[in-house]
Amino acid sequence: MLQKAPRRTRERILELSLRLFNEFGEPNITTTVIAEEMNISPGNLYYHFRNKDDIVNSIFIQFEAEIERILTVPDGRRSNIEDVWLYLHLMFELIWRYRFFYRDLNDLLSRNRKLELHFKQILAHKIKVAKQLCEDLRSEKSLDASDAAIDAMATNMVVVATYWLSYEYVRNPRKYTEQQSMADALARGCYQVLSQIGPYLRGETHTLFQKLSEEYLKKLK
């Protein structure tokens, strides 16, 4: 029976660093802590990464590749409300998987020029996709909103999604790492983002939105 090849040290460092950054916050983790947790010498760690920023940037490359796969609209057809719901689910799952970027966002961007530039691009791409989803709903007569209203909705959706975990952390920091609490927090985030477009929905789409919302809210009680 063939055995799996052991994961390379570099991959293990990135995996461990992501876990530590997520759990304790990136500013609180040093390369010394990472090396100790890995049970390797600091020199061995520096062989793979020059410094902590190098580790952060490498994790960001992974995050960026994953988010680019999510930031797409359906090919060959217009989006519907279920596409928006799925998009939000996938987005919040990814935000949670790389949550330290969002929790420590202002601190990271203030001292990492590469992250600053790339995160701006990601935010712009998120707004573009949110706007496209809303315009598709409008084209199908499922959403009644002006261009200005759609621009505002798209921006508000991205703002809420970007800072939702920070809000949840401030609201209840002692439960931030509890799995069920955060699963509920992410579900609330999805609902809050989608509620931005709720008042503009019409016809069957509005009925479906109400149904999905009621099911969601029941789970959170």
Side-chain angles (χ1 to χ4, degrees):
M1 184 175 178
L2 293 174
Q3 292 185 335
K4 286 186 177 179
R7 284 173 301 155
R8 295 184 304 164
T9 301
R10 177 184 171 85
E11 294 169 350
R12 290 172 52 229
I13 291 172
L14 291 177
E15 183 180 297
L16 175 67
S17 298
L18 177 58
R19 180 174 65 79
L20 292 174
F21 292 160
N22 281 340
E23 187 171 349
F24 300 105
E26 183 272 343
N28 301 315
I29 299 299
T30 64
T31 52
T32 301
V33 170
I34 296 169
E36 288 176 352
E37 287 288 324
M38 280 284 297
N39 198 25
I40 62 175
S41 68
N44 194 348
L45 187 145
Y46 292 131
Y47 173 79
H48 297 281
F49 299 98
R50 296 187 303 276
N51 48 43
K52 191 172 74 167
D53 277 351
D54 196 12
I55 296 175
V56 170
N57 289 338
S58 296
I59 294 174
F60 187 80
I61 288 171
Q62 295 177 353
F63 164 74
E64 199 169 26
E66 291 188 46
I67 205 167
E68 285 297 320
R69 288 195 290 270
I70 293 176
L71 290 174
T72 56
V73 293
D75 190 25
R77 65 175 177 82
R78 292 191 176 96
S79 307
N80 56 45
I81 194 65
E82 290 176 312
D83 292 321
V84 179
W85 203 275
L86 176 61
Y87 165 73
L88 289 175
H89 268 286
L90 294 175
M91 183 60 63
F92 269 100
E93 286 176 2
L94 185 64
I95 288 173
W96 177 249
R97 196 152 64 246
Y98 293 92
R99 57 191 174 275
F100 83 91
F101 282 126
Y102 289 83
R103 178 180 167 183
D104 305 320
L105 185 59
N106 291 352
D107 181 67
L108 283 166
L109 298 190
S110 69
R111 55 185 172 79
N112 190 316
R113 179 65 173 165
K114 180 178 179 181
L115 257 62
E116 178 191 347
L117 295 174
H118 283 245
F119 217 93
K120 282 181 181 178
Q121 293 172 358
I122 287 173
L123 289 180
H125 197 171
K126 284 183 180 180
I127 291 173
K128 180 180 178 181
V129 170
K131 184 178 177 181
Q132 182 64 57
L133 292 170
C134 290
E135 288 176 345
D136 282 355
L137 290 173
R138 183 173 65 178
S139 296
E140 293 295 316
K141 309 298 183 185
S142 298
L143 183 141
D144 183 12
S146 65
D147 288 344
I150 286 178
D151 285 344
M153 273 188 282
T155 299
N156 290 341
M157 290 168 76
V158 172
V159 170
V160 172
T162 299
Y163 290 99
W164 186 255
L165 287 183
S166 295
Y167 165 76
E168 288 288 349
Y169 179 76
V170 172
R171 199 173 72 90
N172 207 340
R174 296 183 184 277
K175 291 190 175 182
Y176 189 76
T177 57
E178 292 182 11
Q179 187 171 355
Q180 187 56 53
S181 295
M182 291 318 301
D184 291 345
L186 295 178
R188 284 192 296 271
C190 285
Y191 173 76
Q192 290 296 328
V193 172
L194 197 57
S195 68
Q196 299 290 322
I197 66 174
Y200 298 91
L201 296 176
R202 300 292 180 265
E204 293 180 2
T205 298
H206 183 263
T207 303
L208 179 57
F209 168 75
Q210 292 288 87
K211 180 175 179 292
L212 291 171
S213 297
E214 288 170 6
E215 291 174 355
Y216 241 61
L217 293 175
K218 283 179 184 177
K219 293 178 183 178
L220 296 174
K221 289 181 179 178

